[in-house]
Each structure stands twice: as C-alpha cells, then as structure tokens.
Amino acid sequence: IADFNASGFCINEGTQFTDSSFANPDTIVSWQWYFGDGGISFYENPGHFFSSVGDFGVYLIATTNHGCKDTVIKMITINPVPMADFVPDKHVALTGDAFYFTNNSSGSSGWSWYFGDSTGTSVAQHPEYTYSNGGTFVIMLIAENDFNCKDTATDSVIVNVPPIVPN
C-alpha cells in the first residue's frame, strides 16, 4: 500500500517527502516519485524544490521485493513566501534615543523582530526600540505569512555612549 507524508510547502524552500508505504511481509525496495512539475526522484524520502506556487499532483509508485506495485496520488499546495524589508529612521544614535523601524514587508501577516542585543524582541509591525548600551547591533526581521512561509531581512545600527562632561 503506497503512501507518503510531506512537509514544507513554501516556494523555493524545499518540500520533504517521507515514504510511509506498507508491504508486510514483503519489503519495499524501490520508489518512483513524480512531483507534478516535471521533477522525479528514486529515493525513499526525497526532498524537492518547487519553483512556482500552485497545486501539484504528487505520485508515488512503491515496488516490493516481489515486483508488486502500488501507486498513490496526493495533491499538495506550494505557497508564496513573503518579502521581508524594513528601514530604521536612523543608523546612528546615542544610548537612550529610540530607533523607529518602518516595516516595508509585503505578503506577510506576522513579524518577529530581534534587535541584536540579546534581549530586545518585538512582534509589532512598526516597532520602536531603545538601546541601553553602546555598540553596533544587527537587527533581524522575520516576516511570516498565513502559510508559515518566512523571509528574513537584516540591517545594522550604531549606538554611541554620550561622553561624560565633567562639572
């Protein structure tokens, strides 16, 4: 009985196929996969990169050690990936000054921000963040859509510590 599971349904991110065929007491000795986009594989558990979004009929033909064959066809949907993009309102500031980040991502419905100082995070669409220490910090935005497809954008800012002015 040919069967399989699949995971990872985002364009250009790789879909993993896992054979779950059953042939007791025989043994399955060969697999023929047809991914519906012209791609094929003869591995037991192949990965495949789809280069376009849409619905694909994936065929698996499993063959036992006695030459018996069974075929299963399942439809899978490959989804678009969002485009992560953002800009800070400035690239250099002093400790205590807030940075404002404009999210220019497209095709996303959720955002995870990491501000590069090991503690700062946000899920706001357009966050602001204030650094308490000086340094160069790499900001990372992960944009995610409703299909759990993700894209990442990064930028960096410099935070200077103001000089201490003697009295």
Side-chain angles (χ1 to χ4, degrees), residues 6-58:
S7 62
F9 301 104
C10 303
I11 187 172
N12 294 325
E13 289 190 358
T15 302
Q16 181 62 46
F17 294 90
T18 304
D19 174 59
S20 59
S21 302
F22 179 78
N24 193 19
D26 290 351
T27 303
I28 297 174
V29 295
S30 71
W31 302 264
Q32 294 173 299
W33 297 85
Y34 300 92
F35 299 112
D37 65 349
I40 61 172
S41 177
F42 299 100
Y43 291 106
E44 180 179 0
N45 299 306
H48 184 71
F49 286 87
F50 289 89
S51 61
S52 61
V53 297
D55 296 325
F56 297 89
V58 177

Coordinates of all heavy atoms in Angstrom, one line a residue, residues 6-58:
A6 N 4.2 14.7 3.6 CA 5.0 15.8 3.1 C 5.0 16.9 4.1 O 4.0 17.1 4.9 CB 4.5 16.2 1.8
S7 N 6.1 17.7 4.1 CA 6.2 18.9 5.0 C 7.0 19.9 4.2 O 7.9 19.6 3.4 CB 6.8 18.6 6.3 OG 8.1 18.1 6.2
G8 N 6.7 21.2 4.5 CA 7.4 22.3 3.9 C 6.7 22.7 2.6 O 7.1 22.1 1.6
F9 N 5.8 23.6 2.6 CA 5.0 23.9 1.4 C 5.2 25.3 1.0 O 4.3 26.0 0.6 CB 3.5 23.6 1.7 CG 3.3 22.2 2.1 CD1 3.0 21.9 3.4 CD2 3.3 21.2 1.2 CE1 2.8 20.5 3.8 CE2 3.1 19.9 1.5 CZ 2.8 19.5 2.9
C10 N 6.5 25.8 1.0 CA 6.8 27.2 0.6 C 7.7 27.1 -0.7 O 8.6 26.3 -0.7 CB 7.5 27.9 1.7 SG 6.5 28.0 3.2
I11 N 7.4 28.0 -1.6 CA 8.2 28.0 -2.8 C 9.7 28.2 -2.5 O 10.1 29.0 -1.6 CB 7.7 29.1 -3.8 CG1 8.4 29.1 -5.1 CG2 7.8 30.5 -3.2 CD1 7.8 30.0 -6.2
N12 N 10.5 27.5 -3.2 CA 12.0 27.6 -3.2 C 12.6 27.3 -1.8 O 13.7 27.6 -1.5 CB 12.5 28.9 -3.6 CG 12.2 29.1 -5.1 OD1 12.3 28.2 -5.9 ND2 11.9 30.3 -5.5
E13 N 11.8 26.7 -0.9 CA 12.3 26.4 0.5 C 12.5 24.9 0.7 O 13.0 24.5 1.7 CB 11.4 26.9 1.5 CG 11.5 28.5 1.6 CD 10.8 29.0 2.8 OE1 10.2 28.3 3.6 OE2 10.8 30.2 3.0
G14 N 12.1 24.1 -0.2 CA 12.3 22.6 -0.1 C 11.1 22.0 0.6 O 10.7 22.3 1.7
T15 N 10.5 21.0 -0.1 CA 9.5 20.2 0.5 C 10.1 18.8 0.8 O 10.7 18.2 -0.1 CB 8.3 20.1 -0.5 OG1 7.8 21.4 -0.8 CG2 7.2 19.2 0.1
Q16 N 9.9 18.3 2.0 CA 10.4 17.0 2.3 C 9.3 15.9 2.2 O 8.2 16.1 2.8 CB 10.9 17.0 3.8 CG 11.5 15.6 4.2 CD 12.7 15.2 3.4 OE1 13.6 16.0 3.1 NE2 12.7 14.0 2.9
F17 N 9.5 14.8 1.5 CA 8.6 13.8 1.3 C 9.1 12.6 2.1 O 10.3 12.2 2.0 CB 8.4 13.4 -0.2 CG 7.8 14.5 -1.0 CD1 8.6 15.5 -1.6 CD2 6.4 14.6 -1.1 CE1 8.0 16.5 -2.3 CE2 5.8 15.6 -1.8 CZ 6.6 16.6 -2.4
T18 N 8.2 11.9 2.9 CA 8.5 10.8 3.7 C 7.7 9.6 3.3 O 6.4 9.7 3.4 CB 8.4 11.1 5.2 OG1 9.1 12.3 5.5 CG2 8.8 9.9 6.1
D19 N 8.3 8.5 2.8 CA 7.5 7.3 2.5 C 6.9 6.7 3.7 O 7.6 6.5 4.7 CB 8.5 6.4 1.8 CG 7.8 5.0 1.5 OD1 6.8 5.0 0.8 OD2 8.3 4.0 2.0
S20 N 5.7 6.3 3.6 CA 5.0 5.6 4.7 C 4.3 4.4 4.1 O 3.2 4.0 4.7 CB 4.1 6.5 5.5 OG 3.1 7.1 4.7
S21 N 4.8 3.9 3.0 CA 4.2 2.7 2.4 C 4.3 1.5 3.2 O 5.2 1.4 4.1 CB 4.8 2.5 1.0 OG 4.7 3.6 0.2
F22 N 3.4 0.5 3.0 CA 3.3 -0.7 3.8 C 3.3 -1.9 2.9 O 2.5 -1.9 2.0 CB 2.1 -0.6 4.7 CG 1.9 -1.8 5.6 CD1 2.7 -1.9 6.8 CD2 1.0 -2.7 5.3 CE1 2.5 -3.0 7.6 CE2 0.8 -3.8 6.1 CZ 1.5 -4.0 7.3
A23 N 4.1 -3.0 3.2 CA 4.1 -4.2 2.3 C 4.4 -5.4 3.1 O 5.1 -6.3 2.7 CB 5.1 -4.0 1.2
N24 N 3.8 -5.6 4.3 CA 4.0 -6.8 5.1 C 3.5 -8.1 4.5 O 2.3 -8.1 4.1 CB 3.4 -6.5 6.5 CG 3.9 -7.5 7.5 OD1 4.9 -8.2 7.3 ND2 3.2 -7.6 8.6
P25 N 4.2 -9.1 4.4 CA 5.5 -9.4 4.9 C 6.6 -9.0 3.9 O 7.8 -9.2 4.2 CB 5.5 -10.9 5.1 CG 4.6 -11.4 4.0 CD 3.6 -10.4 3.8
D26 N 6.3 -8.5 2.7 CA 7.3 -8.1 1.7 C 8.0 -6.8 2.2 O 7.7 -6.2 3.2 CB 6.6 -7.8 0.4 CG 6.1 -9.1 -0.3 OD1 6.4 -10.2 0.2 OD2 5.4 -9.0 -1.3
T27 N 9.0 -6.5 1.4 CA 9.8 -5.3 1.7 C 9.7 -4.4 0.5 O 9.8 -4.8 -0.7 CB 11.2 -5.6 2.0 OG1 11.3 -6.6 3.0 CG2 12.1 -4.4 2.3
I28 N 9.5 -3.1 0.7 CA 9.5 -2.1 -0.4 C 11.0 -1.9 -0.8 O 11.8 -1.5 0.1 CB 8.8 -0.8 -0.1 CG1 7.3 -1.2 0.2 CG2 8.9 0.2 -1.2 CD1 6.5 -0.1 0.7
V29 N 11.3 -2.0 -2.1 CA 12.7 -1.9 -2.5 C 13.0 -0.8 -3.5 O 14.1 -0.5 -3.8 CB 13.2 -3.3 -3.1 CG1 13.2 -4.4 -2.0 CG2 12.4 -3.7 -4.3
S30 N 11.9 -0.2 -4.0 CA 12.1 0.9 -4.9 C 10.9 1.9 -4.9 O 9.8 1.5 -4.6 CB 12.4 0.4 -6.4 OG 11.2 0.0 -7.0
W31 N 11.3 3.1 -5.2 CA 10.3 4.2 -5.1 C 10.5 5.1 -6.3 O 11.6 5.4 -6.8 CB 10.6 5.1 -3.9 CG 10.5 4.4 -2.6 CD1 9.5 4.3 -1.7 CD2 11.6 3.6 -2.0 NE1 9.8 3.5 -0.7 CE2 11.1 3.0 -0.8 CE3 12.9 3.3 -2.3 CZ2 11.8 2.2 0.0 CZ3 13.6 2.5 -1.5 CH2 13.1 1.9 -0.3
Q32 N 9.4 5.5 -6.9 CA 9.4 6.4 -8.1 C 8.4 7.5 -7.7 O 7.2 7.3 -7.5 CB 8.8 5.7 -9.3 CG 9.7 4.6 -9.9 CD 9.1 3.8 -11.0 OE1 8.0 3.3 -10.8 NE2 9.7 3.9 -12.2
W33 N 9.0 8.7 -7.6 CA 8.3 9.9 -7.3 C 8.2 10.8 -8.5 O 9.1 11.0 -9.2 CB 9.0 10.7 -6.2 CG 9.2 10.0 -4.9 CD1 10.2 9.1 -4.5 CD2 8.4 10.1 -3.7 NE1 10.0 8.7 -3.2 CE2 8.9 9.3 -2.7 CE3 7.2 10.9 -3.5 CZ2 8.3 9.2 -1.5 CZ3 6.6 10.8 -2.2 CH2 7.2 10.0 -1.2
Y34 N 7.0 11.3 -8.7 CA 6.7 12.3 -9.8 C 6.0 13.5 -9.1 O 4.9 13.4 -8.5 CB 5.8 11.7 -10.9 CG 6.5 10.5 -11.5 CD1 6.2 9.2 -11.0 CD2 7.4 10.6 -12.6 CE1 6.9 8.1 -11.6 CE2 8.0 9.5 -13.1 CZ 7.7 8.3 -12.7 OH 8.4 7.2 -13.2
F35 N 6.7 14.6 -9.1 CA 6.3 15.8 -8.3 C 5.3 16.7 -8.9 O 4.8 17.7 -8.3 CB 7.5 16.6 -7.8 CG 8.5 15.7 -7.0 CD1 9.7 15.4 -7.5 CD2 8.1 15.3 -5.8 CE1 10.6 14.6 -6.7 CE2 8.9 14.5 -5.0 CZ 10.2 14.2 -5.5
G36 N 4.9 16.4 -10.2 CA 3.8 17.2 -10.8 C 4.4 18.5 -11.5 O 3.6 19.3 -12.0
D37 N 5.7 18.7 -11.4 CA 6.3 19.9 -12.1 C 7.4 19.5 -13.0 O 8.2 20.3 -13.4 CB 6.8 20.9 -11.0 CG 8.0 20.3 -10.2 OD1 8.2 19.1 -10.3 OD2 8.6 21.1 -9.5
G38 N 7.4 18.2 -13.3 CA 8.5 17.6 -14.2 C 9.6 17.0 -13.4 O 10.4 16.3 -14.0
G39 N 9.7 17.2 -12.1 CA 10.7 16.7 -11.3 C 10.4 15.2 -10.9 O 9.2 14.9 -10.7
I40 N 11.5 14.4 -10.8 CA 11.3 13.0 -10.4 C 12.4 12.6 -9.4 O 13.4 13.3 -9.3 CB 11.3 12.0 -11.6 CG1 12.6 12.1 -12.3 CG2 10.1 12.3 -12.5 CD1 12.8 11.0 -13.4
S41 N 12.2 11.6 -8.6 CA 13.2 11.0 -7.7 C 13.0 9.6 -7.6 O 11.9 9.1 -7.7 CB 13.1 11.7 -6.4 OG 14.1 11.2 -5.5
F42 N 14.1 8.9 -7.2 CA 14.0 7.4 -6.9 C 14.5 7.1 -5.5 O 14.8 6.0 -5.2 CB 14.8 6.7 -8.0 CG 14.3 6.9 -9.4 CD1 14.9 7.8 -10.2 CD2 13.2 6.2 -9.8 CE1 14.4 8.0 -11.5 CE2 12.7 6.4 -11.1 CZ 13.3 7.3 -11.9
Y43 N 14.6 8.2 -4.7 CA 15.0 8.0 -3.3 C 13.8 7.6 -2.5 O 12.6 8.0 -2.8 CB 15.6 9.3 -2.7 CG 17.0 9.6 -3.3 CD1 17.1 10.6 -4.2 CD2 18.1 8.8 -2.9 CE1 18.4 10.9 -4.7 CE2 19.3 9.1 -3.4 CZ 19.5 10.1 -4.3 OH 20.7 10.4 -4.9
E44 N 14.0 7.0 -1.3 CA 12.9 6.6 -0.4 C 12.2 7.9 0.2 O 11.0 7.9 0.2 CB 13.4 5.7 0.7 CG 12.4 5.3 1.7 CD 12.9 4.4 2.8 OE1 14.1 4.1 2.8 OE2 12.1 4.0 3.6
N45 N 13.0 8.8 0.6 CA 12.5 10.0 1.3 C 13.1 11.2 0.7 O 14.0 11.9 1.3 CB 12.8 9.9 2.8 CG 12.1 8.8 3.5 OD1 10.9 8.5 3.3 ND2 12.9 7.9 4.2
P46 N 12.7 11.6 -0.5 CA 13.4 12.7 -1.2 C 12.9 14.1 -0.7 O 11.8 14.3 -0.1 CB 12.9 12.5 -2.6 CG 11.5 12.0 -2.5 CD 11.6 11.1 -1.3
G47 N 13.7 15.1 -1.0 CA 13.4 16.5 -0.9 C 13.2 17.0 -2.3 O 13.8 16.5 -3.2
H48 N 12.4 18.0 -2.4 CA 12.2 18.6 -3.8 C 11.9 20.1 -3.6 O 11.2 20.5 -2.7 CB 11.0 18.0 -4.5 CG 10.8 18.4 -5.9 ND1 11.6 18.1 -6.9 CD2 9.8 19.2 -6.4 CE1 11.2 18.7 -8.0 NE2 10.1 19.4 -7.7
F49 N 12.5 20.9 -4.5 CA 12.3 22.4 -4.5 C 11.3 22.7 -5.6 O 11.6 22.4 -6.8 CB 13.6 23.1 -4.7 CG 14.5 23.2 -3.5 CD1 15.4 22.1 -3.3 CD2 14.4 24.2 -2.6 CE1 16.2 22.1 -2.2 CE2 15.2 24.2 -1.5 CZ 16.1 23.2 -1.3
F50 N 10.2 23.3 -5.3 CA 9.2 23.7 -6.3 C 9.5 25.2 -6.6 O 9.7 26.0 -5.7 CB 7.8 23.6 -5.8 CG 7.3 22.2 -5.6 CD1 7.5 21.5 -4.5 CD2 6.7 21.5 -6.7 CE1 7.1 20.1 -4.3 CE2 6.2 20.2 -6.6 CZ 6.5 19.5 -5.4
S51 N 9.6 25.5 -7.9 CA 10.0 26.9 -8.3 C 8.8 27.7 -8.7 O 8.9 28.9 -9.1 CB 10.9 26.8 -9.5 OG 10.3 26.2 -10.6
S52 N 7.6 27.2 -8.5 CA 6.4 28.1 -8.7 C 5.3 27.7 -7.7 O 5.3 26.6 -7.1 CB 5.8 27.9 -10.1 OG 5.5 26.6 -10.3
V53 N 4.4 28.6 -7.4 CA 3.3 28.4 -6.5 C 2.2 27.7 -7.2 O 2.1 27.7 -8.4 CB 2.8 29.7 -5.8 CG1 3.9 30.3 -5.0 CG2 2.3 30.6 -6.8
G54 N 1.4 27.0 -6.5 CA 0.2 26.3 -7.1 C 0.0 24.9 -6.5 O 0.6 24.5 -5.5
D55 N -1.0 24.2 -7.1 CA -1.3 22.9 -6.7 C -0.6 21.9 -7.6 O -0.6 22.0 -8.8 CB -2.8 22.6 -6.8 CG -3.6 23.5 -5.9 OD1 -3.1 23.8 -4.7 OD2 -4.7 24.0 -6.2
F56 N 0.0 20.8 -7.0 CA 0.7 19.8 -7.7 C 0.3 18.4 -7.3 O 0.1 18.2 -6.1 CB 2.2 19.9 -7.4 CG 2.8 21.2 -7.9 CD1 2.8 22.4 -7.0 CD2 3.3 21.4 -9.1 CE1 3.3 23.6 -7.5 CE2 3.8 22.6 -9.6 CZ 3.8 23.7 -8.8
G57 N 0.0 17.6 -8.3 CA -0.3 16.2 -8.0 C 1.0 15.4 -7.9 O 1.7 15.3 -8.9
V58 N 1.3 14.9 -6.7 CA 2.5 14.1 -6.4 C 2.2 12.7 -6.5 O 1.3 12.2 -5.7 CB 3.1 14.5 -5.1 CG1 4.4 13.7 -4.8 CG2 3.5 16.0 -5.1

